[in-house]
Each structure stands twice: as C-alpha cells, then as structure tokens.
Amino acid sequence: MTTSTLRKPRTPKAKPVEVRAGRPPKELAGEVDARIFDAARRVFLQRGFEGASIDEIAEVARSGKRTIYARFRDKRALFTEVVTRDILSRIAEFKADAPVGATVEERLTSVASTLLHWGFDADRIGLMRLAIAEAHRFPDLAATVNRRARALSTELGVHLLHDLTQSDELGRLPAFSPKQLPTTARLFLDIIAVPMLLRALFEVDLKALDPEIDAHVARGVAFFVAACRNGFQVEPD
C-alpha cells in the first residue's frame, strides 16, 4: 500500500464570517443613544460638569469612548445636548389626566396641581440648577433653554386653557380669544408655575414643597379667573 493511498482527504476550509461595517441598525443606534444620554445625565448630576469625564460616562453607558465621540465632539457638546434635550423634551411629553371638578376653577386647579407635582422631579430640577451654575462656562445654554422652555410651556398652557374653557362661559371672554390666548396662557403659568419653580431651584428637599402645591395652585387659579372675569387684559407680545 502506497503512502498516497493512506492520505486523508482534505477538509475544505470554512468560509470566514462576514462582518458588516458601517452604522448599526436604527433601532440599535437608538438604544445606544438612550444609554449614553441616561449615563451622561447621571454622571453630570453626580459630578457636575467639571468633575464628569467621558471615561466614566462610557463606563456607565456600557459603551466605548469612540462611540460617544462619534456622536459628540467633546464633553461640552454632550453636556449641552443632555441639558437641552432632557428639560425641553420632558415639557413636550407632559400629558394631563382628565381634570376633575364641576367648575372651570376646579378643573384648572386639578390640571395645574398635576403639572407642578409632575414637574418637580429631582433630576429635572437638578439639571436646571446645573445649567444655571455653569452659565459662566456656557453663556448661551441657560438663556437658550430658558427661551425654548418658556415657548414650549406657553404652547402647553394654550392647549390646556383652550380645552378646559371652551365649554365654559370663561372661554368666551376676551382673554381667551385666539389672538389673546398665548398671552393669557403665559400669565397663567407665571402666576401658577414660576413662583414654585423658583422655590424648587433653591429647595434641597423637593418633597418639602409637595404639601404647599395644592393650596398655592388654588389661590393662584382663583386670582387668575377673577382677573379674567373682571376684564383684565394685556396686549399680546
């Protein structure tokens, strides 16, 4: 028997696994983005801007630094996007439960109380504080967030006031005409939301404000409705 007859047939080599390069699928990219934003929010809130690092954010996000830098040129850009996106997107996401109450005053009080209790979230207030504290390093950020948050909240106020007053005699007053309603909504928010927001920015324990919200809202709504019924009107901006 010759050597050639004993030689085993060659096993064909397995084909290499094909690796696709390029961007991840859209759904996977969205999940990565969410993890980066969530991690960045947590690290910025805990460490502040100066104490936070891309290394720690990448570790918390279970992501690589290269993945973060592919999306944001530096820590400043990531901080700006986190603050802007988090504060503004949450305003746009507000959905009120069906208001309770037999009168328009009771329904306004119900919705406004829900709005304030929902809005005083520790992380949300913490990011607002951080944006204000870093205003010297980000001179445009706090102002931009303030302007856009004011515009978004005014739109929210217009929607709420329109829905709550259209079936009531209050909705037929000049203050609730289409031209005047944005200004009326802004005044409503300035009376109801802004004073408590200012207190929240300085209050260490936000839970301490909870017992005061409902009484504050009830007084503010009574004042607002009385002013509208007595012909109080401001020219639109």
Side-chain angles (χ1 to χ4, degrees), residues 117-134:
H117 284 292
W118 170 87
F120 292 163
D121 171 80
D123 284 356
R124 189 175 306 125
I125 296 297
L127 280 175
M128 290 182 182
R129 291 169 179 159
L130 193 53
I132 294 168
E134 296 293 342

